[in-house]
Amino acid sequence: GVPAGAFYAGQTATFSSVIPKGQESEFSGFFVNAILILSWLPPLLFTIMAQNKIGIKWGIATLVIFSSVSVFLLQMMEPWDRIRESAQDPVSKSSEE
């Protein structure tokens, strides 16, 4: 209960701190849709596999794959300071390119 609430509040606060100025509604809509889709997909696959008498170890392997993909994507991110800088001043960053 309490740790999950702190996680979701921290997740939303972190995301809102890196949204480029002027694009808050676009990114927030994408964020909400991605959370809704990705929050039910792994448990759904696990449940389908368990109900079809596929071994539990394969269901857990599916969850590990989702976690591994998320860790890989996190590793591909730029450093946090650079993300915050580009969110604070998106116009100057795009004009430099």
Side-chain angles (χ1 to χ4, degrees):
V2 173
F7 170 76
Y8 290 117
Q11 178 184 29
T12 305
T14 302
F15 182 76
S16 65
S17 69
V18 298
I19 296 175
K21 303 285 187 231
Q23 295 181 316
E24 291 88 354
S25 61
E26 298 166 26
F27 278 90
S28 294
F30 174 76
F31 178 72
V32 168
N33 286 321
I35 292 293
L36 290 175
I37 291 169
L38 295 176
S39 66
W40 61 260
L41 186 59
L44 175 67
L45 289 176
F46 180 83
T47 302
I48 289 171
M49 294 175 82
Q51 292 296 319
N52 289 319
K53 300 200 182 352
I54 298 172
I56 294 293
K57 65 180 178 181
W58 294 109
I60 293 174
T62 304
L63 299 177
V64 169
I65 290 170
F66 275 100
S67 298
S68 300
V69 168
S70 65
V71 168
F72 174 75
L73 292 174
L74 282 171
Q75 293 296 320
M76 299 299 293
M77 285 179 47
E78 292 185 20
W80 181 250
D81 295 335
R82 193 167 175 189
I83 292 171
R84 294 284 310 259
E85 287 173 11
S86 65
Q88 298 302 320
D89 195 14
V91 177
S92 67
K93 300 296 180 197
S94 62
S95 64
E96 291 175 2
E97 295 174 357

